[in-house]
Amino acid sequence: RKEVEQDPGPFNVPEGATVAFNCTYSNSASQSFFWYRQDCRKEPKLLMSVYSSGNEDGRFTAQLNRASQYISLLIRDSKLSDSATYLCVVPGGGNKLTFGTGTQLKVEL
Amino acid sequence: DAGVTQSPTHLIKTRGQQVTLRCSPKSGHDTVSWYQQALGQGPQFIFQYYEEEERQRGNFPDRFSGHQFPNYSSELNVNALLLGDSALYLCASSFRAREEKLFFGSGTQLSVL
């Protein structure tokens, strides 16, 4: 299994839809996880941190399933501005973050 | 409050040349790490600098080297450029080497012809 694995997409959804991305990881000892958002060829920006079973921030919910070693990101009421690539990240100690390849989301009118 | 700044924004080189990329960390940060992001891939960790020393390194050859200066800014040097080195090079900073939440600069797009 890859260290961090994501479905690359793209996910094309209409405005207002709910969309979910999954990410699997191989290191069962990992304690924290992140979702980053990256707009086209710009820098990744931290979207959410996940330290326990989950985290919610407005329309965004991240959930962690340690038994199955996967993390999910749920976006409710999608906006056009949510169109981006969403990167699943597992820290490897210190500044060494292991990124997935990213899942591309396109929200359409 | 200045964020992470990188220069140049774009660079074109030919195979075999050498390149130096520069990064200034966010104000108050003392640790810099470098990532390479090829098209369609996630960023890959190159190395981390803290207290002017390389502290961690990813799976990159010795052609990739770096430096950190007393003011915490950093350089990434790549020698003997290959076509496969074409990528977006991202610098990230944090306060202390153990911090996992990173702030990224907007990157340097390197094209090797």
Side-chain angles (χ1 to χ4, degrees), chain B residues 17-37:
Chain B
Q17 285 189 311
Q18 178 264 344
V19 68
T20 297
L21 310 181
R22 296 176 176 81
C23 171
S24 292
K26 180 178 168 64
S27 178
H29 286 184
D30 58 6
T31 304
V32 172
S33 53
W34 288 90
Y35 285 78
Q36 179 197 66
Q37 186 174 23

Side-chain angles (χ1 to χ4, degrees), chain A residues 32 34 36 38 41-46 49 51 87 91-102, chain B residues 31 33 35 37 39-43 45 48 56 88 90 94 97-102 104-106 109:
Chain A
S32 56
F34 302 104
Y36 276 74
Q38 186 174 30
R41 303 310 283 172
K42 293 191 176 180
E43 74 272 26
K45 293 183 178 178
L46 181 63
S49 305
Y51 295 106
L87 297 159
N95 286 182
K96 184 180 179 182
L97 303 181
T98 301
F99 285 78
T101 55
Chain B
T31 304
S33 53
Y35 285 78
Q37 186 174 23
L39 199 60
Q41 301 297 314
F45 176 77
Q48 173 203 59
Q56 286 183 294
L88 179 67
L90 295 160
S94 67
R98 293 181 181 177
E99 177 58 59
E100 294 174 339
K101 291 183 183 178
L102 303 183
F104 284 86
S106 54
Q109 182 65 54

Side-chain angles (χ1 to χ4, degrees), chain A residues 3-21:
Chain A
E3 287 187 84
V4 181
E5 199 155 8
Q6 296 181 251
D7 180 343
F11 284 62
N12 298 319
V13 302
E15 258 193 314
T18 295
V19 61
F21 311 133

